[in-house]
Amino acid sequence: MAISYRKLFHLLIDKNMKKGELQKKAGITASIMARLAKDETVKSDTLGKICDALDCQPGDIMENIPNTNSQEIKPISKCAKTIKPLSEQSKTVKPFSKQAKTPKPLSEIDELML
């Protein structure tokens, strides 16, 4: 579920009102207007101030956009059934290389740094 504020900006166009005018009339900041433009979360009291300033209802300035993701969010109990136990996972893990390099002794590293 996502909330869109496109209706707010269409309403501003219909009322021939600029964003700055709404900011002053509703007593909100430019950063809140930016959050609205990006469809980010804003407090409900902010939405109330905007509705008071525009003499409208919340449904006139925002709408719920259903998820377009085909997968539903599953409860954790259903997800746990699809996770393999570690004992089964370790059987499928492949080593990075068959010839693992042995680290150089510290004395050789110290010589390289001198």
Side-chain angles (χ1 to χ4, degrees):
M1 171 181 76
I3 300 296
S4 172
Y5 298 102
R6 286 182 291 199
K7 291 174 96 178
L8 167 63
F9 296 102
H10 287 284
L11 186 60
L12 289 177
I13 292 168
D14 291 344
K15 292 187 176 250
N16 199 24
M17 183 184 279
K18 297 185 188 258
K19 291 187 280 185
E21 293 174 64
L22 175 62
Q23 283 177 230
K24 288 179 184 174
K25 193 171 181 181
I28 59 175
T29 63
S31 63
I32 291 174
M33 287 301 295
R35 293 178 65 80
L36 291 164
K38 295 176 190 175
D39 290 340
E40 294 179 352
T41 305
V42 294
K43 293 182 180 181
S44 57
D45 65 325
T46 301
L47 297 174
K49 290 177 184 180
I50 292 170
C51 287
D52 289 343
L54 296 175
D55 191 31
C56 66
Q57 294 296 312
D60 297 329
I61 62 170
M62 58 191 254
E63 63 183 329
N64 178 37
I65 307 295
N67 280 344
T68 56
N69 188 353
S70 61
Q71 288 185 334
E72 294 280 329
I73 297 174
K74 297 178 185 177
I76 191 70
S77 59
K78 291 186 179 182
C79 293
K81 293 176 184 176
T82 62
I83 299 173
K84 293 180 181 180
L86 285 176
S87 58
E88 291 179 30
Q89 290 179 9
S90 62
K91 292 177 187 175
T92 61
V93 175
K94 296 178 182 178
F96 287 110
S97 82
K98 292 183 179 181
Q99 296 178 344
K101 294 182 179 180
T102 56
K104 292 185 178 184
L106 287 176
S107 58
E108 288 182 35
I109 295 172
D110 289 338
E111 289 175 13
L112 292 172
M113 293 178 74
L114 293 176

